[in-house]
Amino acid sequence: MKAIIDCNNFYCSCERLFKPYLNNKPVVILSNNDGCIVSRSNEAKQLGVQMAGPYFLAKPLIEKHDVSVFSSNYNLYGDLSWRVMETLRVMLGKKNVEVYSVDEAFLDLHIFPENELQKIATEIKETVELWTGIKVSIGVAPTKVLAKVANRLSKKYVAKYNGVMVLGNEEETNAALKQTQIDDVWGIGRQYAQKLKEHFCIYDALQLSKMTEEFGKTYLGGVVGSRLLRELKGIPSKDMEDELVTKKMIATTRMFGSPVEDIESIREAVATYTSRAAEKLRRQHSAARVISVFVVAKGEDHNVDFRGATLGDSVTLLTATSFTSELIKPAVALVDKLFKTGTSYKKAGVMLSGIVPDNSIQGNLFLSETKNCERKLMDMIDNVNFSQRNDVLKFAAAGTTRNWKMQQNFISGRYTTRWDELFEVS
DNA sequence: TCTGGGGTCCTAGGACCC
DNA sequence: TCTGGGGTCCTAGGACCC
């Protein structure tokens, strides 16, 4: 049997941990640049604040009900996430925990007898809550997709299930599927949900589970769809995955704090994003051969499509590299190629692909000894930036003015990861 | 005035090879 | 006159996830 454990309203819970006076009060967390709402407390949900909706549209409602608002504080959330995951690893063993996202993990529970799963899951939940202060919910079932179904219901009917739901037999499973709308099935997004309802009159997960694998294959994205159907029928088809996945693509993209029209600011922004992407690359001991850059113009008519035109291009390097200096040069050259005078830009991004392990870089005859020095320099920069403050050391191309920097008007302290911002008890 | 930032997997189709 | 068939690699794009 498998389980999914999920932190309740994770970002809101992190903020509340250090601001207990916010318990039972409505709270929302904003995306980068304070653009959208990405986490809501139950109280905020009840007030009708929409998930993923733009902040400025929700503002009247938020002010009317005195909802507390925070900018995303990824230093804090990342650290608390690590504590939750580490608790699970201590309890279950490393190889039975698959971290799925910042606030979710799949657990392999095959080591426990089936008739004790309710008890075990409850114990896991209570331990995580006691050790970290973060509330969680757990769904247990034969497959990942069914565990997701259980997890959702355990939260929806918290009074009945108290945050733990086990689907141990066909009867329980079917009842749970029946209570799950088709839109709420993991793997069914907006497009598929609409198609299933309009063309096939399928409205809940039980109806979908009765369809054949072939149906999934034909209408829900090929092998992805047939796997989904199998999982719904209780046949495990999505395995637990290894922890040590190296990313095949690394991206750093940001909206600007306000629209930008000068090329110098965009060069600086792209150089900064490249530095960040290269850090991620080095952290997983990889090197990249392809670098892509894109810029997004400010939309003409944001009522129709607020996203505006995207213009991108890429270069393939002769050899893969993880050195910031070698990546910044082509990245900035791409900016010069894409930039058009007189256009107002609101976003830019850098993507690294063609990723290989950095010990397998195919050198050429001209590769010199200076490479070693450079590697040491990169390690040193990473160490200083990690242990001190972000960006103590940076490349000149990244600039110092930063008038493109994103807005974070409601940020709280990095209470658990910075000495000078440590939470104080008086 | 103001709408996030990452990722994944899969498929189709074109280029190219023998 | 008649011009195959099988394979690989790459890219773009669509769908999904949190």
Side-chain angles (χ1 to χ4, degrees):
Chain A
M1 296 281 273
K2 296 194 176 99
I4 178 106
I5 180 165
D6 166 286
C7 303
N8 301 344
N9 314 324
F10 182 54
Y11 296 171
C12 288
S13 304
C14 292
E15 297 291 348
R16 277 178 168 167
L17 203 51
F18 295 91
K19 300 182 175 62
Y21 57 87
L22 293 176
N23 287 337
N24 307 313
K25 300 247 170 65
V27 177
V28 300
I29 314 296
L30 305 181
S31 64
N32 272 338
N33 222 29
D34 296 341
C36 294
I37 291 163
V38 292
S39 180
R40 306 163 297 162
S41 71
N42 290 339
E43 298 77 12
K45 285 177 198 172
Q46 271 159 26
L47 290 173
V49 180
Q50 291 301 304
M51 181 64 170
Y55 171 52
F56 75 92
L57 282 182
K59 213 166 172 180
L61 190 62
I62 284 172
E63 283 173 355
K64 185 176 162 200
H65 292 96
D66 202 22
V67 179
S68 299
V69 177
F70 294 95
S71 303
S72 292
N73 183 344
Y74 292 110
N75 287 282
L76 180 64
Y77 310 155
D79 185 57
L80 293 174
S81 169
W82 180 84
R83 295 179 188 201
V84 169
M85 302 308 172
E86 196 59 17
T87 303
L88 297 172
R89 286 187 279 255
V90 166
M91 291 189 79
L92 299 165
K94 233 178 177 170
K95 61 178 199 309
N96 292 315
V97 179
E98 176 196 334
V99 177
Y100 178 65
S101 74
V102 68
D103 69 333
E104 282 174 87
F106 286 104
L107 310 176
D108 192 335
L109 300 182
H110 77 276
I111 46 178
F112 303 107
E114 297 217 352
N115 58 0
E116 287 181 21
L117 289 176
Q118 181 76 38
K119 194 181 106 220
I120 299 288
T122 304
E123 198 179 316
I124 293 171
K125 172 180 148 74
E126 286 170 356
T127 306
V128 170
E129 292 177 353
L130 184 67
W131 289 10
T132 68
I134 301 288
K135 297 264 187 240
V136 295
S137 305
I138 303 186
V140 181
T143 69
K144 285 182 169 181
V145 171
L146 291 175
K148 278 272 196 181
V149 166
N151 176 259
R152 217 186 123 266
L153 294 175
S154 79
K155 266 190 289 196
K156 190 169 174 190
Y157 304 108
V158 70
K160 187 169 173 191
Y161 298 108
N162 201 22
V164 176
M165 185 175 192
V166 180
L167 301 179
N169 58 48
E170 202 180 319
E171 200 183 326
E172 288 169 344
T173 303
N174 285 347
L177 288 173
K178 186 136 196 229
Q179 292 177 76
T180 304
Q181 298 285 299
I182 196 72
D183 317 61
D184 295 326
V185 175
W186 187 47
I188 300 293
R190 246 198 11 252
Q191 313 282 336
Y192 289 161
Q194 197 186 345
K195 182 151 84 176
L196 289 170
K197 285 189 262 194
E198 278 178 13
H199 297 352
F200 303 102
C201 298
I202 293 175
Y203 301 99
D204 65 47
L206 184 61
Q207 289 176 299
L208 181 60
S209 73
K210 302 271 197 251
M211 306 305 284
T212 62
E213 266 177 62
E214 266 316 297
F215 177 87
K217 188 165 188 169
T218 313
Y219 299 109
L220 302 174
V223 300
V224 179
S226 63
R227 273 207 288 263
L228 172 61
L229 259 298
R230 288 166 62 85
E231 287 260 322
L232 276 175
K233 293 172 191 295
I235 308 160
S237 307
K238 288 167 176 276
D239 293 333
M240 297 289 288
E241 277 166 33
D242 296 342
E243 277 292 305
L244 292 169
V245 277
T246 49
K247 304 236 189 302
K248 296 162 188 166
M249 186 202 82
I250 286 172
T252 301
T253 73
R254 296 275 184 283
M255 302 276 302
F256 302 136
S258 52
V260 161
E261 287 172 19
D262 65 299
I263 191 167
E264 199 46 48
S265 291
I266 298 187
R267 283 194 194 122
E268 283 181 14
V270 164
T272 304
Y273 303 163
T274 305
S275 309
R276 190 84 337 110
E279 275 173 24
K280 296 182 196 169
L281 195 60
R282 293 193 289 272
R283 208 177 303 146
Q284 66 167 40
H285 305 290
S286 301
R289 206 156 92 87
V290 180
I291 175 161
S292 322
V293 170
F294 69 87
V295 290
V296 182
K298 192 165 169 293
E300 291 280 312
D301 181 3
H302 45 259
N303 289 326
V304 181
D305 180 11
F306 61 85
R307 289 188 195 282
T310 301
L311 211 58
D313 204 349
S314 65
V315 286
T316 302
L317 306 173
L318 250 75
T319 53
T321 181
S322 64
F323 299 154
T324 304
S325 55
E326 293 179 354
L327 291 163
I328 281 184
K329 260 175 267 173
V332 170
L334 285 168
V335 172
D336 294 347
K337 198 167 154 190
L338 296 168
F339 181 84
K340 288 199 186 73
T341 311
T343 305
S344 189
Y345 296 93
K346 59 174 196 177
K347 180 178 183 174
V350 173
M351 283 185 282
L352 302 177
S353 52
I355 288 177
V356 295
D358 69 357
N359 55 18
S360 78
I361 298 174
Q362 271 210 333
N364 62 42
L365 276 176
F366 310 104
L367 229 83
S368 67
E369 296 246 321
T370 60
K371 285 279 159 188
N372 267 327
C373 292
E374 219 164 330
R375 175 78 229 193
K376 279 182 196 149
L377 175 65
M378 285 295 131
D379 286 347
M380 194 199 78
I381 290 177
D382 288 346
N383 278 330
V384 171
N385 282 340
F386 181 74
S387 62
Q388 303 297 314
R389 190 177 270 285
N390 284 343
D391 285 343
V392 162
L393 294 178
K394 62 189 176 192
F395 283 77
T400 50
T401 53
R402 308 200 149 207
N403 48 16
W404 42 269
K405 204 171 171 263
M406 69 182 176
Q407 300 197 30
Q408 287 187 307
N409 295 324
F410 317 100
I411 191 91
S412 50
R414 291 171 286 189
Y415 304 119
T416 62
T417 52
R418 301 284 163 174
W419 287 112
D420 51 346
E421 295 176 25
L422 212 58
F423 190 69
E424 289 179 30
V425 182
S426 47

PDB file of all heavy atoms in Angstrom, chain A residues 216-237:
ATOM      1  N   GLY A 216      -8.588   5.287 -21.930  1.00  0.00           N
ATOM      2  CA  GLY A 216      -7.591   6.220 -21.402  1.00  0.00           C
ATOM      3  C   GLY A 216      -6.522   6.517 -22.435  1.00  0.00           C
ATOM      4  O   GLY A 216      -6.130   7.660 -22.636  1.00  0.00           O
ATOM      5  N   LYS A 217      -6.087   5.482 -23.112  1.00  0.00           N
ATOM      6  CA  LYS A 217      -5.025   5.633 -24.089  1.00  0.00           C
ATOM      7  C   LYS A 217      -5.468   6.532 -25.250  1.00  0.00           C
ATOM      8  O   LYS A 217      -4.710   7.369 -25.735  1.00  0.00           O
ATOM      9  CB  LYS A 217      -4.636   4.250 -24.620  1.00  0.00           C
ATOM     10  CG  LYS A 217      -3.425   4.273 -25.503  1.00  0.00           C
ATOM     11  CD  LYS A 217      -2.866   2.870 -25.687  1.00  0.00           C
ATOM     12  CE  LYS A 217      -1.540   2.935 -26.417  1.00  0.00           C
ATOM     13  NZ  LYS A 217      -0.828   1.667 -26.400  1.00  0.00           N
ATOM     14  N   THR A 218      -6.707   6.360 -25.670  1.00  0.00           N
ATOM     15  CA  THR A 218      -7.196   7.123 -26.820  1.00  0.00           C
ATOM     16  C   THR A 218      -7.499   8.578 -26.480  1.00  0.00           C
ATOM     17  O   THR A 218      -7.196   9.480 -27.257  1.00  0.00           O
ATOM     18  CB  THR A 218      -8.478   6.467 -27.372  1.00  0.00           C
ATOM     19  OG1 THR A 218      -8.247   5.066 -27.492  1.00  0.00           O
ATOM     20  CG2 THR A 218      -8.842   7.038 -28.739  1.00  0.00           C
ATOM     21  N   TYR A 219      -8.102   8.801 -25.308  1.00  0.00           N
ATOM     22  CA  TYR A 219      -8.623  10.148 -25.051  1.00  0.00           C
ATOM     23  C   TYR A 219      -7.887  10.944 -23.984  1.00  0.00           C
ATOM     24  O   TYR A 219      -8.144  12.135 -23.820  1.00  0.00           O
ATOM     25  CB  TYR A 219     -10.104  10.044 -24.669  1.00  0.00           C
ATOM     26  CG  TYR A 219     -10.942   9.440 -25.769  1.00  0.00           C
ATOM     27  CD1 TYR A 219     -11.463   8.157 -25.640  1.00  0.00           C
ATOM     28  CD2 TYR A 219     -11.173  10.147 -26.954  1.00  0.00           C
ATOM     29  CE1 TYR A 219     -12.222   7.592 -26.659  1.00  0.00           C
ATOM     30  CE2 TYR A 219     -11.924   9.590 -27.972  1.00  0.00           C
ATOM     31  CZ  TYR A 219     -12.438   8.316 -27.831  1.00  0.00           C
ATOM     32  OH  TYR A 219     -13.174   7.769 -28.838  1.00  0.00           O
ATOM     33  N   LEU A 220      -6.993  10.310 -23.239  1.00  0.00           N
ATOM     34  CA  LEU A 220      -6.353  11.038 -22.142  1.00  0.00           C
ATOM     35  C   LEU A 220      -4.832  11.031 -22.252  1.00  0.00           C
ATOM     36  O   LEU A 220      -4.117  10.875 -21.252  1.00  0.00           O
ATOM     37  CB  LEU A 220      -6.804  10.462 -20.784  1.00  0.00           C
ATOM     38  CG  LEU A 220      -8.321  10.479 -20.540  1.00  0.00           C
ATOM     39  CD1 LEU A 220      -8.659   9.754 -19.248  1.00  0.00           C
ATOM     40  CD2 LEU A 220      -8.848  11.912 -20.479  1.00  0.00           C
ATOM     41  N   GLY A 221      -4.341  11.166 -23.481  1.00  0.00           N
ATOM     42  CA  GLY A 221      -2.902  11.379 -23.636  1.00  0.00           C
ATOM     43  C   GLY A 221      -2.057  10.133 -23.726  1.00  0.00           C
ATOM     44  O   GLY A 221      -0.986  10.069 -23.118  1.00  0.00           O
ATOM     45  N   GLY A 222      -2.515   9.107 -24.451  1.00  0.00           N
ATOM     46  CA  GLY A 222      -1.681   7.936 -24.725  1.00  0.00           C
ATOM     47  C   GLY A 222      -1.355   7.126 -23.479  1.00  0.00           C
ATOM     48  O   GLY A 222      -2.223   6.889 -22.640  1.00  0.00           O
ATOM     49  N   VAL A 223      -0.092   6.738 -23.325  1.00  0.00           N
ATOM     50  CA  VAL A 223       0.268   5.854 -22.220  1.00  0.00           C
ATOM     51  C   VAL A 223       0.001   6.497 -20.860  1.00  0.00           C
ATOM     52  O   VAL A 223      -0.295   5.806 -19.889  1.00  0.00           O
ATOM     53  CB  VAL A 223       1.749   5.415 -22.300  1.00  0.00           C
ATOM     54  CG1 VAL A 223       2.015   4.670 -23.581  1.00  0.00           C
ATOM     55  CG2 VAL A 223       2.680   6.585 -22.166  1.00  0.00           C
ATOM     56  N   VAL A 224       0.070   7.817 -20.818  1.00  0.00           N
ATOM     57  CA  VAL A 224      -0.223   8.516 -19.563  1.00  0.00           C
ATOM     58  C   VAL A 224      -1.650   8.199 -19.128  1.00  0.00           C
ATOM     59  O   VAL A 224      -1.911   7.893 -17.961  1.00  0.00           O
ATOM     60  CB  VAL A 224      -0.064  10.043 -19.748  1.00  0.00           C
ATOM     61  CG1 VAL A 224      -0.399  10.776 -18.465  1.00  0.00           C
ATOM     62  CG2 VAL A 224       1.337  10.382 -20.195  1.00  0.00           C
ATOM     63  N   GLY A 225      -2.568   8.234 -20.100  1.00  0.00           N
ATOM     64  CA  GLY A 225      -3.975   7.982 -19.810  1.00  0.00           C
ATOM     65  C   GLY A 225      -4.242   6.537 -19.435  1.00  0.00           C
ATOM     66  O   GLY A 225      -5.045   6.271 -18.533  1.00  0.00           O
ATOM     67  N   SER A 226      -3.576   5.602 -20.092  1.00  0.00           N
ATOM     68  CA  SER A 226      -3.845   4.205 -19.743  1.00  0.00           C
ATOM     69  C   SER A 226      -3.291   3.888 -18.355  1.00  0.00           C
ATOM     70  O   SER A 226      -3.898   3.130 -17.605  1.00  0.00           O
ATOM     71  CB  SER A 226      -3.313   3.243 -20.816  1.00  0.00           C
ATOM     72  OG  SER A 226      -1.931   3.346 -20.925  1.00  0.00           O
ATOM     73  N   ARG A 227      -2.169   4.514 -18.005  1.00  0.00           N
ATOM     74  CA  ARG A 227      -1.652   4.338 -16.638  1.00  0.00           C
ATOM     75  C   ARG A 227      -2.640   4.889 -15.612  1.00  0.00           C
ATOM     76  O   ARG A 227      -2.887   4.269 -14.576  1.00  0.00           O
ATOM     77  CB  ARG A 227      -0.317   5.070 -16.484  1.00  0.00           C
ATOM     78  CG  ARG A 227       0.888   4.245 -16.900  1.00  0.00           C
ATOM     79  CD  ARG A 227       2.133   4.701 -16.158  1.00  0.00           C
ATOM     80  NE  ARG A 227       2.594   5.993 -16.633  1.00  0.00           N
ATOM     81  CZ  ARG A 227       3.564   6.151 -17.531  1.00  0.00           C
ATOM     82  NH1 ARG A 227       4.176   5.104 -18.047  1.00  0.00           N
ATOM     83  NH2 ARG A 227       3.935   7.344 -17.909  1.00  0.00           N
ATOM     84  N   LEU A 228      -3.223   6.047 -15.920  1.00  0.00           N
ATOM     85  CA  LEU A 228      -4.189   6.666 -15.006  1.00  0.00           C
ATOM     86  C   LEU A 228      -5.364   5.721 -14.768  1.00  0.00           C
ATOM     87  O   LEU A 228      -5.798   5.512 -13.631  1.00  0.00           O
ATOM     88  CB  LEU A 228      -4.667   8.004 -15.585  1.00  0.00           C
ATOM     89  CG  LEU A 228      -5.803   8.699 -14.853  1.00  0.00           C
ATOM     90  CD1 LEU A 228      -5.406   9.042 -13.423  1.00  0.00           C
ATOM     91  CD2 LEU A 228      -6.210   9.977 -15.579  1.00  0.00           C
ATOM     92  N   LEU A 229      -5.884   5.109 -15.845  1.00  0.00           N
ATOM     93  CA  LEU A 229      -7.014   4.188 -15.710  1.00  0.00           C
ATOM     94  C   LEU A 229      -6.648   2.986 -14.844  1.00  0.00           C
ATOM     95  O   LEU A 229      -7.415   2.577 -13.967  1.00  0.00           O
ATOM     96  CB  LEU A 229      -7.480   3.739 -17.102  1.00  0.00           C
ATOM     97  CG  LEU A 229      -8.730   4.429 -17.667  1.00  0.00           C
ATOM     98  CD1 LEU A 229      -9.939   4.146 -16.774  1.00  0.00           C
ATOM     99  CD2 LEU A 229      -8.555   5.945 -17.749  1.00  0.00           C
ATOM    100  N   ARG A 230      -5.464   2.440 -15.071  1.00  0.00           N
ATOM    101  CA  ARG A 230      -5.024   1.299 -14.258  1.00  0.00           C
ATOM    102  C   ARG A 230      -4.951   1.677 -12.787  1.00  0.00           C
ATOM    103  O   ARG A 230      -5.439   0.945 -11.921  1.00  0.00           O
ATOM    104  CB  ARG A 230      -3.649   0.811 -14.720  1.00  0.00           C
ATOM    105  CG  ARG A 230      -3.678   0.089 -16.071  1.00  0.00           C
ATOM    106  CD  ARG A 230      -2.278  -0.066 -16.630  1.00  0.00           C
ATOM    107  NE  ARG A 230      -1.412  -0.872 -15.780  1.00  0.00           N
ATOM    108  CZ  ARG A 230      -1.358  -2.202 -15.816  1.00  0.00           C
ATOM    109  NH1 ARG A 230      -2.110  -2.865 -16.673  1.00  0.00           N
ATOM    110  NH2 ARG A 230      -0.565  -2.871 -15.004  1.00  0.00           N
ATOM    111  N   GLU A 231      -4.364   2.820 -12.511  1.00  0.00           N
ATOM    112  CA  GLU A 231      -4.243   3.271 -11.121  1.00  0.00           C
ATOM    113  C   GLU A 231      -5.606   3.434 -10.461  1.00  0.00           C
ATOM    114  O   GLU A 231      -5.790   3.070  -9.314  1.00  0.00           O
ATOM    115  CB  GLU A 231      -3.475   4.605 -11.075  1.00  0.00           C
ATOM    116  CG  GLU A 231      -1.985   4.466 -11.348  1.00  0.00           C
ATOM    117  CD  GLU A 231      -1.161   4.486 -10.073  1.00  0.00           C
ATOM    118  OE1 GLU A 231      -1.506   5.246  -9.158  1.00  0.00           O
ATOM    119  OE2 GLU A 231      -0.178   3.721  -9.984  1.00  0.00           O
ATOM    120  N   LEU A 232      -6.566   3.973 -11.213  1.00  0.00           N
ATOM    121  CA  LEU A 232      -7.910   4.150 -10.663  1.00  0.00           C
ATOM    122  C   LEU A 232      -8.556   2.804 -10.352  1.00  0.00           C
ATOM    123  O   LEU A 232      -9.374   2.689  -9.448  1.00  0.00           O
ATOM    124  CB  LEU A 232      -8.795   4.914 -11.660  1.00  0.00           C
ATOM    125  CG  LEU A 232      -8.700   6.437 -11.655  1.00  0.00           C
ATOM    126  CD1 LEU A 232      -9.531   7.020 -12.775  1.00  0.00           C
ATOM    127  CD2 LEU A 232      -9.147   7.016 -10.311  1.00  0.00           C
ATOM    128  N   LYS A 233      -8.174   1.777 -11.124  1.00  0.00           N
ATOM    129  CA  LYS A 233      -8.721   0.435 -10.900  1.00  0.00           C
ATOM    130  C   LYS A 233      -7.962  -0.310  -9.807  1.00  0.00           C
ATOM    131  O   LYS A 233      -8.241  -1.472  -9.529  1.00  0.00           O
ATOM    132  CB  LYS A 233      -8.652  -0.372 -12.203  1.00  0.00           C
ATOM    133  CG  LYS A 233      -9.570   0.139 -13.316  1.00  0.00           C
ATOM    134  CD  LYS A 233      -9.286  -0.611 -14.614  1.00  0.00           C
ATOM    135  CE  LYS A 233      -9.966   0.026 -15.809  1.00  0.00           C
ATOM    136  NZ  LYS A 233     -11.443  -0.018 -15.761  1.00  0.00           N
ATOM    137  N   GLY A 234      -6.960   0.335  -9.225  1.00  0.00           N
ATOM    138  CA  GLY A 234      -6.230  -0.278  -8.115  1.00  0.00           C
ATOM    139  C   GLY A 234      -5.018  -1.078  -8.521  1.00  0.00           C
ATOM    140  O   GLY A 234      -4.441  -1.794  -7.705  1.00  0.00           O
ATOM    141  N   ILE A 235      -4.611  -0.944  -9.797  1.00  0.00           N
ATOM    142  CA  ILE A 235      -3.410  -1.653 -10.255  1.00  0.00           C
ATOM    143  C   ILE A 235      -2.245  -0.664 -10.263  1.00  0.00           C
ATOM    144  O   ILE A 235      -2.240   0.278 -11.055  1.00  0.00           O
ATOM    145  CB  ILE A 235      -3.606  -2.201 -11.680  1.00  0.00           C
ATOM    146  CG1 ILE A 235      -4.900  -3.002 -11.747  1.00  0.00           C
ATOM    147  CG2 ILE A 235      -2.411  -3.022 -12.120  1.00  0.00           C
ATOM    148  CD1 ILE A 235      -5.437  -3.180 -13.159  1.00  0.00           C
ATOM    149  N   PRO A 236      -1.259  -0.858  -9.385  1.00  0.00           N
ATOM    150  CA  PRO A 236      -0.158   0.119  -9.292  1.00  0.00           C
ATOM    151  C   PRO A 236       0.572   0.260 -10.629  1.00  0.00           C
ATOM    152  O   PRO A 236       1.034  -0.725 -11.191  1.00  0.00           O
ATOM    153  CB  PRO A 236       0.770  -0.481  -8.241  1.00  0.00           C
ATOM    154  CG  PRO A 236      -0.092  -1.413  -7.464  1.00  0.00           C
ATOM    155  CD  PRO A 236      -1.097  -1.951  -8.426  1.00  0.00           C
ATOM    156  N   SER A 237       0.649   1.467 -11.134  1.00  0.00           N
ATOM    157  CA  SER A 237       1.311   1.708 -12.418  1.00  0.00           C
ATOM    158  C   SER A 237       2.229   2.918 -12.390  1.00  0.00           C
ATOM    159  O   SER A 237       2.840   3.273 -13.384  1.00  0.00           O
ATOM    160  CB  SER A 237       0.262   1.900 -13.520  1.00  0.00           C
ATOM    161  OG  SER A 237      -0.639   0.811 -13.520  1.00  0.00           O
TER     162      SER A 237
END
